[in-house]
Every structure is written in structure tokens, then in C-alpha cells.
């Protein structure tokens, strides 16, 4: 029998009978205990939703879209299984631990092959005649129908924008999912947007752009994530195997590991996050104040700059966090739009992409963070070492988001 689950975003979600045993596996149930938005709960107290409910939401939207596209029962079952399982590769605190793992070896949460090899998952997929290799390809982007799960207008993005907006209270993530799904079709094996769905697609683009600085890159979320990374480096040192094992934990068990670390630095940082005694912004500079071309590009050069700030400020290494994020990738919409009898690239019809990308570039910030009592001292040292330009009134105005 199928199960019906009440969801605050989509209403009732039906889990097909074939997929119910997948939902009940340990690997999927683990997602109950991984926050969808990592440390965003420190800013938005309602942001305690989990990867589990997002996975159900993505599966629900995948089912609706498969029905709209007229896909067969076997294809629909495989795609819905992929949507349900697409996040099982996430480690504790979602993207925060992914960044930690990437410092030790190549890692992507979209590569779920190792998790699909779990005996319980593998047995259940084969029992319902779903290929684990096909599921992995759908999630990683190497399948003819990957656009449903891993594309520019995918069900993953549709669900997380709506869900994150709902739980944070931020109004910027809302758009017409129903209209968007009803406007998608398959032409020559590719997912194509009907002209009637352009406004819904534009709304999704705007949501992606505005949710960035408001939620995903909010400075307090960024600071907590950087503190978590510093705690992880201090705890694991060069132990890549330990980090790999850590990635299989959930938020609660991961916090317990770090709170009981032999490293005093790790224990202090995790306790600060738990009690919201976060580091403060000593420097928080946009592109107009930073010489982007002369920023350090390698881990070694970043470490040297960090050390220079530490020495100039006469503080401990762990009292300074230098955060130089990569420039945000430009939004690209490799989607064709059906306009009358023609298929036209989305970019030719919707010129707002250039504006959206300019806005995303303007959202970039270089940060130097320190404990509250050291904020001013570290800030002076950082401005000297980084040779930051002085902000003009115009710069201050353009830096507001």
C-alpha cells in the first residue's frame, strides 16, 4: 500500500508502495537528522527542516513532472527513486562537511554510488526492478532524464527554494511550481519549456538570486560554517580516513564527536556554535574594496596571508578566520523554449540573466572573522595585510543588498 504523508509545503505526498521500503532504510532515515540549511537556524530559528522532508518533496514533484511528461511506469519509478535518494550523499551539516571533505580529497554529494551499494538499498532497488547505476546517473547528471533531477529547472531546486522560504520565513523563494511543471515537455529527448512557463522560470531565477544573500550566504551562516571547518581541521589534522567516516554521521553524532575532541580548539569552536557565541566580522568587504586579481589563489598562499594577519594582530592562529569565497558561478540556462513551432534558447528570450549574474557578482564578500573581543585588533591588521581600499559613500551604498 502507498503511504500518504502530510507536508507543509506540498500538502499530502504519496509515497508509492514500491518506494516505501526505501524510505524505511537506515540511510534514508539518517536524513531526518541532517538539517537542510546547515547553520541557518542560528539566523532563522524556524530553519530546522531536514534533508529527509526535502527528499520526499523532490520525489513528489518528480512524480508530478513524470506524469506531465507522459513517462512510463518503469521510468517514473526509477526517476522517483532517484529523487528520493538524491541527497543520501550529504554529510552532517549538509554543505559544511562537504567543504571539509573536499579539503582532503575530491568529493561530491551528487556521487551516491557508494551509498547505493549498501545491501539494504541495493536489494530494495533490485526488488522493484530499478537499476542502481541508472539512479546514480540520474543524480550525477549522466542520464537522458537527468534534467528532471539535476538540471536548470529540476525538482530538487524547485523543492528546496519553496521549502527554505517556508521555514525561514524569507518571502523571496516563492514561485509557481505548478505552472512551471505544467509548462515542461520532452522534445527530441530533451526537457523543453513551453512559452507559457517563462514567467514561472523567471520567478525561479529571481528566487535563486535573492535567497543567496538573505539565507544561503548570510554572514552569520557563513561565519558558523567557517568555524565548523576550522574545528574539523583541528580535530582531524591529516586523517583523511577519519573525515571520510565522519561524512556518514548525522548532525547530532557529528557534534558529539567534535565536542569530545582531544583538540581544545575544536571543543571551543563547536561549543561557541552551539551557544551562538560566534566570531564577528572584523572585515567584510565587497569586490569594490578588494583587488580580486591579487587575492591568493592557492591553499598555501591563503595560509601565508592568514599567518600575516595573525602576526600583525599578535593573536593566536585560531583567533583569525580568513574567508575568501570563490566568485559565485554565473547562472546559465541551457534550456530551449518552445515558441509557436520553434525552439529558441532561453537566454535569447529572457535578457534578465545578465542582470541576475551582475547581482550575484555584487553579492560576493571577503570576510575576516575573530572573537568579539579581538574584532577591532584583527580588523586593523587585516586591512593592512589585505591592502583594502577605503570605502567611499558610493561604495557603501552599492554594497547594500
Amino acid at each position: 500500500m502507498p503511504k500518504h504523508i502530510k507536508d507543509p509545503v506540498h500538502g499530502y505526498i504519496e509515497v508509492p508502495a514500491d518506494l516505501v521500503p526505501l524510505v524505511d532504510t537506515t540511510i534514508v532515515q539518517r536524513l531526518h537528522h541532517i538539517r537542510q540549511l546547515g547553520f541557518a537556524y542560528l539566523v532563522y530559528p524556524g530553519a530546522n527542516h531536514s534533508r529527509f522532508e526535502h527528499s520526499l518533496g523532490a520525489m513528489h514533484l518528480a512524480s508530478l513532472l513524470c506524469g506531465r511528461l507522459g513517462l512510463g511506469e518503469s521510468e517514473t519509478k526509477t526517476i522517483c527513486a532517484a529523487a528520493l535518494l538524491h541527497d543520501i550523499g550529504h554529510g552532517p551539516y549538509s554543505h559544511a562537511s562537504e567543504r571539509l571533505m573536499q579539503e582532503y580529497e575530491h568529493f561530491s554529494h551528487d556521487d551516491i554510488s557508494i551509498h547505493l551499494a549498501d545491501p539494504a538499498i541495493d536489494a530494495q532497488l533490485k526488488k522493484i526492478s530499478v537499476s542502481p547505476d541508472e539512479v546514480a546517473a540520474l543524480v550525477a547528471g549522466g542520464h537522458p532524464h537527468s534534467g528532471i533531477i539535476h538540471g536548470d529547472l529540476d525538482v530538487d531546486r524547485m523543492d528546496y527554494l519553496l521549502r527554505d522560504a517556508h521555514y525561514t520565513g524569507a518571502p523571496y523563494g516563492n514561485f509557481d511550481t505548478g505552472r512551471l511543471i505544467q509548462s515542461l515537455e520532452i522534445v527530441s529527448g530533451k526537457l523543453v519549456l513551453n512559452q507559457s512557463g517563462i514567467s514561472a522560470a523567471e520567478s525561479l531565477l529571481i528566487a535563486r538570486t535573492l535567497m543567496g544573500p538573505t539565507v544561503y550566504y548570510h554572514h552569520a551562516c557563513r561565519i558558523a560554517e567557517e568555524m565548523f571547518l576550522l574545528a574539523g581541521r583541528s580535530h582531524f589534522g591529516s586523517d583523511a580516513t577519519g573525515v571520510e567516516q565522519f561524512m556518514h554521521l548525522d548532525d547530532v553524532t557529528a557534534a558529539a564527536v567534535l565536542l569530545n575532541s582531544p583538540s581544545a580548539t575544536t571543543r571551543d569552536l563547536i561549543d561557541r556554535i552551539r551557544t551562538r557565541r560566534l566570531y564577528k566580522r572584523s572585515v567584510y568587504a565587497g569586490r569594490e574594496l578588494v583587488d580580486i586579481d591579487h587575492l591568493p589563489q592557492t591553499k598555501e598562499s591563503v595560509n601565508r596571508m592568514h599567518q600575516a594577519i595573525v602576526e600583525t594582530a599578535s593573536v593566536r592562529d585560531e583567533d583569525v578566520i580568513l574567508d575568501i569565497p570563490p566568485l559565485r558561478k554565473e547562472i546559465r540556462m541551457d534550456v530551449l523554449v518552445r515558441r509557436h513551432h520553434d525552439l529558441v534558447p532561453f537566454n535569447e528570450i529572457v535578457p534578465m540573466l545578465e542582470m541576475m549574474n551582475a547581482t550575484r557578482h555584487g553579492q560576493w564578500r571577503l570576510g575576516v572573522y575573530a572573537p568579539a573581543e579581538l574584532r577591532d585588533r584583527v580588523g586593523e591588521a587585516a586591512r593592512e595585510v589585505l591592502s583594502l581600499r577605503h570605502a567611499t559613500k558610493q561604495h557603501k551604498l552599492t554594497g547594500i543588498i
Side-chain angles (χ1 to χ4, degrees), residues 279-296:
Y279 281 23
K280 302 300 181 182
R281 291 175 289 178
S282 294
V283 167
Y284 205 56
R287 297 181 66 179
E288 71 278 1
L289 303 181
V290 178
D291 187 348
I292 297 285
D293 294 333
H294 289 85
L295 286 178

Side-chain angles (χ1 to χ4, degrees), residues 35-49 163-173 210-222 224 276 278 401:
R35 285 189 176 97
Q36 172 76 12
L37 289 179
F39 298 107
Y41 71 93
L42 296 168
V43 179
Y44 298 99
N48 285 298
H49 55 301
R163 194 168 299 279
D164 295 347
H166 175 84
Y167 281 103
T168 60
Y172 310 112
L210 296 183
M211 287 290 281
T214 308
V215 178
Y216 306 131
Y217 299 101
H218 188 284
H219 69 271
C221 302
R222 186 75 187 183
R276 210 186 185 283
L278 303 179
I401 297 176

Side-chain angles (χ1 to χ4, degrees), residues 131-371:
S131 164
D133 291 339
E134 239 187 310
V135 169
L138 276 161
V139 175
H143 187 280
H145 291 316
S146 280
I148 296 174
I149 308 291
H150 187 115
D152 293 313
L153 297 174
D154 62 48
V155 296
D156 175 24
R157 183 171 289 129
M158 290 184 204
D159 183 82
Y160 79 63
L161 285 170
L162 290 175
R163 194 168 299 279
D164 295 347
H166 175 84
Y167 281 103
T168 60
Y172 310 112
N174 293 307
F175 59 96
D176 193 344
T177 311
R179 166 59 70 180
L180 189 55
I181 286 176
Q182 289 302 313
S183 302
L184 291 169
E185 54 187 289
I186 292 179
V187 177
S188 300
K190 292 186 177 181
L191 204 59
V192 169
L193 179 69
N194 192 285
Q195 188 173 8
S196 64
I198 289 177
S199 293
E202 287 177 325
S203 296
L204 183 146
L205 286 175
I206 294 170
R208 284 181 65 187
T209 301
L210 296 183
M211 287 290 281
T214 308
V215 178
Y216 306 131
Y217 299 101
H218 188 284
H219 69 271
C221 302
R222 186 75 187 183
I223 290 171
E225 189 169 306
E226 290 294 322
M227 292 172 68
F228 173 83
L229 289 175
L230 179 56
R233 295 184 199 111
S234 182
H235 175 75
F236 290 107
S238 60
D239 182 12
T241 301
V243 181
E244 188 174 345
Q245 294 170 346
F246 184 76
M247 293 298 292
H248 294 273
L249 304 179
D250 57 35
D251 292 1
V252 175
T253 50
V257 167
L258 298 179
L259 281 169
N260 289 282
S261 171
S263 165
T265 296
T266 297
R267 296 196 304 272
D268 176 63
L269 287 165
I270 298 302
D271 184 63
R272 280 176 171 273
I273 293 172
R274 284 169 55 83
T275 56
R276 210 186 185 283
R277 292 179 295 115
L278 303 179
Y279 281 23
K280 302 300 181 182
R281 291 175 289 178
S282 294
V283 167
Y284 205 56
R287 297 181 66 179
E288 71 278 1
L289 303 181
V290 178
D291 187 348
I292 297 285
D293 294 333
H294 289 85
L295 286 178
Q297 301 296 317
T298 65
K299 181 178 179 180
E300 292 73 19
S301 57
V302 171
N303 288 341
R304 285 195 297 270
M305 183 168 280
H306 172 270
Q307 193 59 37
I309 297 172
V310 167
E311 292 175 359
T312 302
S314 298
V315 295
R316 301 174 304 169
D317 284 359
E318 59 267 30
D319 289 330
V320 174
I321 292 177
L322 174 58
D323 177 21
I324 307 178
L327 296 177
R328 293 184 70 185
K329 294 180 180 178
E330 289 194 351
I331 296 177
R332 298 185 63 184
M333 292 289 285
D334 295 324
V335 174
L336 294 176
V337 177
R338 179 192 284 279
R339 188 169 61 176
H340 305 300
H341 300 292
D342 298 325
L343 292 177
V344 184
F346 184 90
N347 298 354
E348 292 184 10
I349 300 176
V350 183
M352 71 157 51
L353 273 180
E354 185 176 346
M355 179 185 68
M356 293 291 100
N357 284 322
T359 300
R360 287 163 68 89
H361 288 168
Q363 293 167 352
W364 182 90
R365 293 292 184 272
L366 176 147
V368 179
Y369 317 129

